[in-house]
Amino acid sequence: MTCGRCGAATAGPTPPVTWTCSVENGHRVYFCDSCARDNLRAIEGRLDSSWW
Ligand SMILES: [Zn+2]
């Protein structure tokens, strides 16, 4: 798993619960906790409501 913004990597097959999943162009993109905070509005604005 790699953060879609800063490129931070995490071990394991699934991202930590603090990471945020976004869907861009049909692909799941994960953001680490710090990036998620920075981009919360942008992420939510892009997310299809059905994902929440
Ligand atoms: Zn990040």
Side-chain angles (χ1 to χ4, degrees):
M1 280 296 160
T2 306
C3 174
R5 181 169 179 252
C6 71
T10 183
T14 58
V17 293
T18 52
W19 284 39
T20 298
C21 177
S22 181
V23 179
E24 298 182 1
N25 301 320
H27 296 282
R28 291 192 186 190
V29 180
Y30 292 90
F31 295 100
C32 67
D33 51 356
S34 60
C35 289
R37 275 195 295 271
D38 290 345
N39 295 288
L40 191 58
R41 288 181 186 176
I43 292 170
E44 287 181 341
R46 254 182 280 145
L47 261 183
D48 187 77
S49 58
S50 65
W51 283 92
W52 290 109

